Amino acid sequence: MKDFDTAELERKFQEKIDKDIKIEPKDWMPDDYRQTLIRQISQHAHSEIVGMLPEGNWITRAPNLRRKAVLLAKVQDEAGHGLYLYSATETLGADREQTIDDLHSGKAKYSSIFNYPTVSWADMGAIGWLVDGAAIMNQVPLCRCSYGPYARAMVRVCKEESFHQRQGFEIMMQLAGGTPEQKAMAQDALNRFWWPSLMMFGPNDAESKHTAQSVKWKIKRHTNDELRQQFVDVTVPQAEMIGLTIPDKDLKFNAETGHYSYGEIDWTEFWEVVKGNGPCNKERVDARRKAKENGEWVREAANAFAAKRALKKSA
Ligand code: BYC
């Protein structure tokens, strides 16, 4: 049983949340709130960093200098997002090295979407349009998250994600309006990325173990299904506008509700990918592990330099 003091602290904490007062790092917070945030924010940080890999794969093969410069900037932005987010976990008392080791050991999750391969240039368009589009849908409400440092980080992240989404849509629009081969390439990318993009929002509400509590704490402002529906409603007309077909025979607009209804997501595939059995899970985590190993000498040199300077100062 909770003692009186803890119950009173929890009551005051929830009162603040209900009044939309931000929770800051030094404020009292229930341990479960702290752990939920560390889990979500570190997974989010890992997604940004692992998310650099499928696109990084195409920087050297971008079709022209303009596309290369844009893609390079986008991938660098993702690195920046990862760094803000790792810093946000540190404000909650998490150890950054430990969170990164958890990614490398397979203990920590990251977004399922980055376990799919990028096999053509059109995939850069599909990722920007659909993956960043889904990310924005999920992250704009996070700008109003109850935890101050996460909410503030999300403001800048969302601005950059909007630019990412537009550059992706522009690639798709150009390919869809190009030669028949280019249009086929765009359609193929849409076919492969559509369903995994819907999966990014997480399991159905009935299966989502964290949503109810996270909504109560205003970490999440919407449920997974609500955001998924918003994404479908916004994206389907965009596909129609550029002459591409959403690969879902059950997709139809319901004039009464004002929403599109869509087919059943393959949840078996989703959970397999989340468990580590997707097409690229091993490759992605190996790449991150190798990057850490290859950077060891830089960290050693920086630490030795810092130690030497500290010694000089104290002398
Ligand atoms: N993939 O109870 P639920 C990006 C896990 S990338 C893998 O609904 P919650 C970008 C979930 O973690 C976008 N795992 O959980 C970067 C939980 O497992 P644990 C990244 C998933 O937390 C580069 C279990 O399933 N965005 O921005 O209430 C280029 C049950 O789920 C997934 C964020 O991370 C998934 N798709 O809701 C372009 C946003 N879905 O932890 C773009 C912040 C669920 O109990 N995160 N799981 O072991 C969130 O908003 C929420 O954490 C989620 C899941 C909506 C993702």
Side-chain angles (χ1 to χ4, degrees):
M1 218 175 84
K2 280 173 195 151
D3 58 41
F4 174 77
D5 287 348
T6 311
E8 184 56 13
L9 284 167
E10 280 184 3
R11 193 190 59 74
K12 285 194 173 143
F13 171 81
Q14 189 63 44
E15 203 173 85
K16 265 170 102 176
I17 302 249
D18 294 341
K19 286 184 184 158
D20 278 331
I21 298 170
K22 291 269 178 274
I23 307 300
E24 297 298 338
K26 289 190 175 154
D27 294 346
W28 186 90
M29 61 185 86
D31 199 46
D32 286 351
Y33 176 83
R34 188 186 298 278
Q35 293 312 325
T36 297
L37 280 167
I38 292 176
R39 176 186 63 80
Q40 176 167 326
I41 303 173
S42 63
Q43 288 177 5
H44 193 165
H46 300 329
S47 304
E48 299 283 355
I49 299 297
V50 176
M52 296 165 72
L53 297 169
E55 289 176 293
N57 182 33
W58 278 88
I59 292 172
T60 54
R61 289 175 288 161
N64 57 48
L65 186 58
R66 174 173 170 259
R67 292 289 184 205
K68 193 193 286 279
V70 171
L71 187 60
L72 196 58
K74 178 183 190 297
V75 172
Q76 283 177 338
D77 286 349
E78 314 296 359
H81 300 173
L83 297 183
Y84 309 147
L85 290 164
Y86 284 126
S87 299
T89 63
E90 287 179 311
T91 67
L92 290 154
D95 179 80
R96 183 186 291 224
E97 287 304 311
Q98 185 58 51
T99 41
I100 293 171
D101 288 345
D102 286 347
L103 169 70
H104 297 172
S105 69
K107 189 174 158 205
K109 294 190 170 74
Y110 57 90
S111 185
S112 49
I113 191 74
F114 302 116
N115 293 306
Y116 292 86
T118 44
V119 299
S120 82
W121 171 252
D123 291 3
M124 298 305 96
I127 289 184
W129 174 35
L130 302 174
V131 176
D132 287 271
I136 294 169
M137 206 51 95
N138 168 277
Q139 288 168 19
V140 166
L142 290 176
C143 298
R144 293 187 296 119
C145 161
S146 57
Y147 186 59
Y150 191 28
R152 290 189 286 274
M154 279 299 111
V155 174
R156 177 160 175 188
V157 168
C158 285
K159 285 193 177 137
E160 292 176 348
E161 300 286 24
S162 306
F163 148 71
H164 298 170
Q165 193 272 350
R166 280 174 208 180
Q167 67 83 38
F169 188 64
E170 196 218 354
I171 293 175
M172 291 302 262
M173 193 161 61
Q174 249 189 1
L175 290 175
T179 63
E181 289 80 4
Q182 286 172 323
K183 183 168 182 183
M185 198 160 85
Q187 182 63 54
D188 174 61
L190 170 57
N191 293 349
R192 284 179 291 105
F193 276 94
W194 175 253
W195 291 104
S197 299
L198 296 193
M199 293 174 194
M200 281 176 73
F201 294 94
N204 278 335
D205 291 352
E207 304 291 324
S208 167
K209 57 182 170 174
H210 300 298
T211 294
Q213 184 60 65
S214 289
V215 167
K216 188 165 177 236
W217 279 330
K218 295 189 181 170
I219 293 173
K220 287 168 87 163
R221 294 280 181 159
H222 302 280
T223 70
N224 299 352
D225 286 334
E226 284 166 2
L227 293 172
R228 191 168 10 247
Q229 183 67 56
Q230 278 183 30
F231 174 74
V232 172
D233 290 345
V234 165
T235 312
V236 173
Q238 294 173 351
E240 282 169 2
M241 195 183 101
I242 57 175
L244 296 180
T245 309
I246 302 284
D248 179 357
K249 61 180 175 26
D250 296 321
L251 186 76
K252 56 174 186 291
F253 186 68
N254 183 334
E256 263 176 39
T257 60
H259 297 295
Y260 285 88
S261 53
Y262 52 92
E264 180 65 17
I265 292 171
D266 184 346
W267 293 113
T268 308
E269 174 180 322
F270 171 73
W271 288 116
E272 278 304 307
V273 176
V274 171
K275 273 192 287 183
N277 303 325
C280 299
N281 294 62
K282 191 177 172 315
E283 186 182 326
R284 301 292 186 236
V285 175
D286 280 353
R288 290 312 315 157
R289 214 181 287 128
K290 224 184 259 165
K292 182 164 183 189
E293 282 162 17
N294 290 342
E296 187 61 41
W297 69 272
V298 179
R299 288 188 296 280
E300 268 175 21
N303 282 338
F305 182 72
K308 206 170 160 195
R309 271 180 73 149
L311 211 65
K312 247 190 189 166
K313 264 194 190 157
S314 66

